[in-house]
Amino acid sequence: MTILDLDQNATTQLHPAAAAAMAKVEAEAWGNPSSAHAIGRKARQRLEDAREQVAALLHALPEEVVFTSGATEANNLAIFGQCGEPPATIAASMIEHPCVIEPIRVLEKRGFRIEWLPVTPAGTIEPREMAACGEARLATVMLANHETGAVNDVRAMSGTVPMHCDAAQALGKMPVSFRELGVTTLSLSAHKFRGPGGAGALLIRKGTKLQPLTFGGFQQQGHRPGTEAVALAVGLASALGI
């Protein structure tokens, strides 16, 4: 039976080349990338190669790439990591993915004022609406909507306040440049572009102060401590390159 998958926005099938790259890591570089012995150093090299590849493809610096378990974790890290303590204003739109809306709702309960940006009939945010949010501590606007496909002019909105951009639905469908968009943070999820499930990344502009969500390690500059999943990072980078 032939299966016609018309739900590519939800997830995509793992690309054979990405699967092969991951299998090679598991066979040849299965060590802990924080270990000093040979197999650990080999794993570290594969991890950093993947980080450099992702950075080059998205026009970022390697040190700006933090691997996560997906866009949901990346969005939470970006929002909670930058919001600080109330009182403050957070600007967001109601067309965001639930993994952005729900953290914003949590911040509202904690005492933050939420400035909900109006949405046009075309399903986008007008850049001028962001210009009116100059007092906001953080703004979050997605690049491409997961249901309508509407694309926001994020570049025209950036620069007014620190901005997070959920680009999970855009990667693999349109060119994405972290540097050109001008945002502070940007999230992505590998399974949206034929990478492995459970792998994602958060790009964090160099010099940005970000409070981690978890503690207990030095990995990834402390932004996301814990032993990195090397094979998943390699699979993400491979699929993104394809």
Side-chain angles (χ1 to χ4, degrees), residues 48-168:
E48 296 310 322
D49 286 348
R51 199 187 308 276
E52 289 181 8
Q53 185 177 357
V54 171
L57 290 167
L58 298 180
H59 306 155
L61 300 173
E63 58 265 35
E64 294 177 323
V65 178
V66 173
F67 291 113
T68 68
S69 62
T72 295
E73 182 192 350
N75 287 332
N76 275 261
L77 178 55
I79 293 167
F80 289 116
Q82 294 181 85
C83 69
E85 297 295 328
T89 299
I90 308 293
S93 75
M94 290 301 294
I95 60 171
E96 300 299 307
H97 190 276
C99 65
V100 169
I101 293 287
E102 291 181 23
I104 295 297
R105 292 293 194 196
V106 170
L107 292 181
E108 189 173 33
K109 291 177 181 178
R110 292 180 181 177
F112 286 86
R113 177 180 176 272
I114 309 303
E115 181 74 29
W116 294 108
L117 303 169
V119 181
T120 70
T124 59
I125 308 301
E126 288 284 356
R128 67 172 179 268
E129 299 294 346
M130 187 61 68
C133 297
E135 298 301 315
R137 184 176 291 170
L138 176 69
T140 176
V141 175
M142 62 173 23
L143 185 52
N145 188 267
H146 52 291
E147 294 179 338
T148 67
V151 177
N152 283 304
D153 189 355
V154 172
R155 178 66 190 93
M157 299 183 207
S158 64
T160 305
V161 298
M163 180 180 286
H164 170 62
C165 179
D166 176 357

